[in-house]
Amino acid sequence: MVDFWFNHFNVNWSKGAERWLVTAYEREVIRPHAFGKFRDLLLASAQSPAMLFYLDNWLSSSATAPARRDRKPGLNENYARELLELHTLGVDGGYTQNDVVEVARCLTGWTLSRPRDGGGFVFRPRMHDSGQKVVLGKVIRAGGGKEDGIAVIDMLARHPKTARFIATKLCLRFVADDPPKTLVDRVAAVFLRTDGDLRQTVRAVLTSPEFLSAKYAGAKIKTPLELVASSIRAVGGETKGGTTLLAALNRMGMPLYLCQPPTGYADRADAWVSSGALLERLSFAVALMEGRMVGTTVEAERILPRPDLDRAIEIILGARCSAETRATLSKEMPVSSKKLVGLILGSPEFQRR
Amino acid sequence: MSDCPECTPRNLSRRTFLKNGALAMVGAALSPGFLARAVEAAPDARGRVLVVIFQRGAVDGLSMVVPHAAPEYYKLRKGIAIPREQVLDLDGYFGLHPSLAPFKPLFDRRTLAIVQASGSPDNTRSHFDAQDYMEAAAPGNKSVHDGWLNRYMGTAPNKNAFRAVSITANLPRSLSGMQPALAIPSVRSFGVRGGKSAERGFEAMYSQSASDVLHGTGKESFKAVETLRKRLSGPYQPANGANYPRGNFGQQMQQVAQLIKADLGLEIAAAEVGGWDTHANQRGPLAQRLEEFAQSVAALHQDLGDRMQDVLIITMSEFGRKLEENGSGGTDHGHGNCNFVIGGRVRGGRIYGQWPGLAPGQLFEGRDLAVTTDFRDVFGEAVVRFLQCRSASNVFPGYALLPNRFRGYLA
């Protein structure tokens, strides 16, 4: 779930000083709230240096705020827009450009103390637009100060559109690229009923008949990160990360912590299964088993003392293995254990969850 | 200038469509995914090729095409201006950075043109937003997720696996979307690394008849690998004495030439070159980057020879840099920039666009070169007049593409 929520509240390591903030963001903002209340997660991300910097809210101020030496004062709508579009209501969530501006006004003054020196969240009244705002039809009275932003977070975190958007993304991640609407409805209802309790919301997905049904078994293609993790796990390997592994992820199209747009990585097969990337998955399987991933140790012989095809399929693929793949693999025999395992890790079946 | 009808992309796609018509119909009905994009991996086709080069990091356009007759330029760039006597004059007002010397003969022979003061209507000075906006060709709109080049492909889909290739590890945003595009970081090592027999094993597994996205993509990948190996066997010998620099960008340009000459039906090639974010002490490093940049592009031009008649190269960068130099011999993020356009069909030897001037009142937000040509009009002119797209409005969502706004760098 840390991966899911990091991706939902994506920040990109390569944007200037962001690299110094990402580690703490994952550890202190995402992880503690991954099974908590959505509202707390949303607020924590809104006040995190990583998000304030990535989506520029730390620069956003009332147009009449005192000028700073290197820039003119003024509103920056970047975070406000993504807060509505990507973090809560969704792009079809019914908000207007005016709502974006009003949310941005509410969040003026939510900035960083000592931005060049690792400072944390601070509210600066002098940057804040203290006038009245109207967000999604609701009046936020003048003079609220820091509370304007809290009011916006509370409103968005409990909005039915947010429930629906989060439910859709969870079903997209765990069930299918095109999840059944009835399931999304039920999960959204749990989100609303539990005041955005993420543990209960995720449980609603994972205990649903749809999730457990044969129809959706193996419906999802693994992301490159899932493929790398599941490959190493499947062969009982150990990894300390390392640059060759990161480079492999990069070549498969999913550089770690480096998703450029705030949307995060896509959760659909068409984003991951292109020619070049698929060939890279196969190259990765071979390289992993040949011990070419520096910092990662795998020993095929430990899980597969002899190159026994049936045993290898049983351990790695189980019942997922198609008759065609089994037949193709048997034509490749005899091969060494590590080569056999490499072929299985590159099989179409292993690319699916 | 007479168009060869057989060479136009429209005809190419029609021909390929007819060849694969039945399969395409079935595929479109059954599966929105790979079947609809099952590919013909080995066409023998040559058509027009658009080569897009992204200078990532915001290159200092005022150092590339120097307004050497503008007093403000020398006044505000006391430490880093290109001295007037070193500028390679083009028209009495503008001149090239001396490191761009390989571009001078192309300008003189009228195959290179410049669009000056081009850029985005959005005022962001964030690299990541600005690159995103430019590659999506939707400034200020983050809900457009596919790239402009991919949307162009969608206006006339065809089945060629090699229609769009990026010479990078990952597909750039401009090429991502529903239409198939290959990311081939190295044409020589495209395939499964780790031995022939592993590759054969994988190929067998993926070539079964199961009709899902993995098998489909696998099949098209191995076909593409096979095609590339067949067409590109042996070491590459550039023609016409072209000499590609050894660096990464030079090698990208050489691979573009290889793919074009292999007659694979390539229509879009994407390449990129970084190192332009020159906030400090920019003189030396910028001169070096520009030299490699110009030598590489000029080598591609040289190597392709007569083929340049059907090739258009466009360079772009997310925004320009501030007019006034900063306190550390560099330049901070700015706004307007310029594009180079190169090709046999370009009405070259000219500088297009309206120059907004560098006087204080003429600058954007009081500090940067203003934008007088929307970058979508630069791209749009290529899409309409070079690629001959009939439904270019689909390529630029929310933007009315009007030919009278085109700068006219293409006839």
Side-chain angles (χ1 to χ4, degrees):
Chain A
M1 289 315 296
V2 172
D3 175 51
F4 177 85
W5 290 115
F6 187 102
N7 195 56
H8 182 77
F9 293 104
N10 182 52
V11 298
N12 171 17
W13 193 87
S14 73
K15 180 178 175 175
E18 192 72 25
R19 65 189 57 190
W20 314 114
L21 306 173
V22 170
T23 312
Y25 179 70
E26 185 177 71
R27 187 181 59 218
E28 290 156 25
V29 174
I30 302 295
R31 193 174 290 278
H33 295 104
F35 286 110
K37 293 275 189 176
F38 180 71
R39 184 262 182 196
D40 299 338
L41 175 57
L42 185 63
L43 180 63
S45 98
Q47 297 188 337
S48 67
M51 188 59 79
L52 286 164
F53 181 77
Y54 175 64
L55 291 178
D56 305 323
N57 201 70
W58 73 286
L59 296 167
S60 185
S61 71
S62 149
T64 56
R68 296 181 52 120
R69 114 190 100 79
D70 54 343
R71 57 181 181 268
K72 289 189 286 191
L75 212 54
N76 187 314
E77 300 170 7
N78 198 0
Y79 175 66
R81 181 182 308 281
E82 306 310 353
L83 175 65
L84 293 168
E85 176 189 325
L86 302 175
H87 299 169
T88 60
L89 305 178
V91 70
D92 303 318
Y95 59 90
T96 64
Q97 169 61 27
N98 198 48
D99 288 320
V100 172
V101 172
E102 294 291 285
V103 167
R105 289 179 62 215
C106 287
L107 292 167
T108 47
W110 284 43
T111 187
L112 295 167
S113 67
R114 297 175 292 116
R116 311 214 179 279
D117 199 20
F121 170 76
V122 69
F123 177 73
R124 291 199 194 284
R126 277 153 62 96
M127 289 171 75
H128 185 66
D129 179 336
S130 58
Q132 175 182 295
K133 297 103 181 169
V134 181
V135 175
L136 303 172
K138 186 171 177 283
V139 174
I140 294 176
R141 285 212 209 116
K146 180 186 169 187
E147 294 306 310
D148 289 359
I150 305 281
V152 165
I153 297 287
D154 284 341
M155 188 192 313
L156 294 174
R158 301 185 167 110
H159 200 285
K161 295 280 190 191
T162 301
R164 192 160 182 89
F165 184 58
I166 299 297
T168 305
K169 282 192 75 171
L170 284 169
C171 294
L172 194 63
R173 167 65 68 103
F174 291 110
V175 182
D177 285 2
D178 190 12
K181 184 178 172 300
T182 50
L183 174 63
V184 173
D185 289 342
R186 284 187 343 257
V187 173
V190 171
F191 182 97
L192 281 178
R193 195 172 65 234
T194 62
D195 193 28
D197 184 312
L198 298 177
R199 186 182 301 275
Q200 300 207 47
T201 306
V202 172
R203 180 178 291 142
V205 178
L206 301 186
T207 57
S208 68
E210 289 89 345
F211 176 78
L212 299 167
S213 77
K215 182 177 176 195
Y216 293 109
K220 293 289 292 183
I221 306 270
K222 290 171 184 169
T223 65
L225 183 61
E226 289 168 342
L227 176 75
V228 166
S230 63
S231 299
I232 296 171
R233 278 182 196 153
V235 296
E238 285 187 24
T239 186
K240 294 181 280 190
T243 51
T244 47
L245 204 59
L246 292 177
L249 272 171
N250 194 10
R251 286 194 300 268
M252 288 184 247
M254 198 179 193
L256 201 56
Y257 301 117
L258 285 167
C259 180
Q260 195 198 51
T263 39
Y265 286 118
D267 238 333
R268 300 173 57 91
D270 49 25
W272 300 120
V273 188
S274 66
S275 288
L278 182 59
L279 293 172
E280 289 300 339
R281 287 176 179 232
L282 310 183
S283 295
F284 166 74
V286 176
L288 177 69
M289 294 319 294
E290 286 182 351
R292 281 192 272 122
M293 290 291 144
V294 180
T296 303
T297 41
V298 294
E299 282 174 55
E301 287 76 12
R302 195 154 14 126
I303 58 159
L304 195 66
R306 287 175 301 106
D308 173 340
L309 178 61
D310 290 340
R311 177 80 187 128
I313 289 176
E314 187 188 328
I315 297 169
I316 302 170
L317 293 177
R320 286 181 290 169
C321 186
S322 69
E324 291 85 358
T325 293
R326 186 182 290 271
T328 310
L329 285 168
S330 70
K331 279 186 216 143
E332 297 295 315
M333 301 300 287
V335 291
S336 67
S337 287
K338 71 177 182 183
K339 188 153 175 220
L340 176 58
V341 172
L343 282 171
I344 295 175
L345 295 181
S347 68
E349 287 87 341
F350 197 74
Q351 307 311 307
R352 295 184 174 276
R353 284 216 296 257
Chain B
M1 198 180 321
S2 74
D3 289 0
C4 154
E6 271 301 286
C7 295
T8 64
R10 217 160 36 79
N11 278 299
L12 172 64
S13 70
R14 190 170 155 268
R15 196 172 55 196
T16 333
F17 177 78
L18 290 176
K19 211 154 61 173
N20 296 287
L23 173 65
M25 296 297 197
V26 171
L30 286 180
S31 149
F34 91 93
L35 269 181
R37 50 174 246 205
V39 293
E40 171 73 8
D44 197 344
R46 57 161 67 186
R48 293 189 182 184
V49 185
L50 177 66
V51 181
V52 293
I53 297 170
F54 207 116
Q55 294 178 280
R56 291 193 191 278
V59 67
D60 184 20
L62 293 169
S63 287
M64 291 199 301
V65 182
V66 180
H68 64 81
E72 298 89 350
Y73 170 77
Y74 288 100
K75 198 176 132 206
L76 292 170
R77 290 196 166 196
K78 290 205 161 60
I80 60 162
I82 312 302
R84 196 168 275 133
E85 62 277 11
Q86 290 178 23
V87 173
L88 310 172
D89 180 54
L90 298 174
D91 65 354
Y93 193 92
F94 296 107
L96 293 171
H97 188 289
S99 291
L100 295 180
F103 284 174
K104 182 69 165 57
L106 304 185
F107 186 88
D108 293 341
R109 298 208 310 263
R110 297 177 186 278
T111 55
L112 179 147
I114 291 158
V115 183
Q116 193 48 289
S118 65
S120 173
D122 193 276
N123 71 348
T124 183
R125 292 186 181 84
S126 145
H127 293 295
F128 100 109
D129 279 350
Q131 290 184 20
D132 234 30
Y133 290 157
M134 190 166 276
E135 297 191 77
N141 183 348
K142 293 192 174 174
S143 59
V144 174
H145 298 301
D146 48 6
W148 69 283
L149 293 167
N150 199 281
R151 282 196 302 277
Y152 158 70
M153 293 165 71
T155 64
N158 76 37
K159 305 288 163 192
N160 178 3
F162 288 95
R163 184 181 182 192
V165 178
S166 178
I167 315 294
T168 53
N170 294 303
L171 273 189
R173 182 75 186 277
S174 58
L175 269 176
S176 60
M178 288 309 287
Q179 301 300 318
L182 293 168
I184 305 182
S186 162
V187 297
R188 266 185 303 274
S189 64
F190 189 59
V192 178
R193 293 180 298 279
K196 278 265 172 244
S197 72
E199 186 168 290
R200 269 199 310 275
F202 288 128
E203 185 171 1
M205 269 194 276
Y206 282 85
S207 63
Q208 295 151 8
S209 58
S211 54
D212 68 359
V213 62
L214 281 163
H215 288 87
T217 307
K219 267 184 263 188
E220 80 189 33
S221 306
F222 285 109
K223 263 195 226 171
V225 168
E226 191 190 330
T227 306
L228 263 195
R229 293 216 178 113
K230 229 181 320 187
R231 298 286 183 90
L232 300 180
S233 58
Y236 180 69
Q237 217 24 273
N240 311 317
N243 191 7
Y244 291 94
R246 285 178 173 278
N248 182 278
F249 184 61
Q251 294 312 299
Q252 284 184 54
M253 290 294 99
Q254 176 173 316
Q255 297 185 66
V256 169
Q258 272 180 281
L259 288 173
I260 290 175
K261 291 189 197 174
D263 292 334
L264 296 157
L266 182 73
E267 190 183 6
I268 314 278
E272 55 190 53
V273 54
W276 308 107
D277 197 14
T278 50
H279 284 281
N281 306 317
Q282 73 177 44
R283 283 195 82 107
L286 182 62
Q288 227 169 17
R289 297 305 290 140
L290 287 176
E291 189 173 334
E292 184 193 354
F293 170 70
Q295 284 177 356
S296 302
V297 175
L300 174 63
H301 177 274
Q302 179 87 9
D303 189 5
L304 289 177
D306 292 343
R307 273 306 268 278
M308 279 306 295
Q309 190 58 30
D310 286 321
V311 174
L312 175 66
I313 303 169
I314 302 185
T315 71
M316 61 198 64
S317 195
E318 64 264 36
F319 43 71
R321 306 192 74 84
K322 194 176 170 184
L323 171 60
E324 185 174 7
E325 68 186 56
N326 64 20
S328 43
T331 43
D332 293 323
H333 299 181
H335 192 55
N337 209 330
C338 60
N339 308 91
F340 293 105
V341 287
I342 305 165
R345 292 173 195 272
V346 169
R347 301 203 292 177
R350 288 171 62 181
I351 296 167
Y352 292 89
Q354 180 206 335
W355 181 245
L358 297 178
Q362 297 168 325
L363 295 174
F364 176 75
E365 295 183 350
R367 45 173 277 168
D368 302 327
L369 176 64
V371 167
T372 56
T373 297
D374 191 307
F375 72 84
R376 287 169 294 187
D377 290 322
V378 181
F379 298 1
E381 184 164 352
V383 167
V384 172
R385 294 195 177 151
F386 180 73
L387 296 174
Q388 298 172 311
C389 176
R390 297 286 168 91
S391 41
S393 58
N394 297 336
V395 182
F396 302 95
Y399 188 65
L401 209 58
L402 304 174
N404 63 12
R405 278 202 295 243
F406 291 167
R407 289 305 181 179
Y409 65 82
L410 290 164

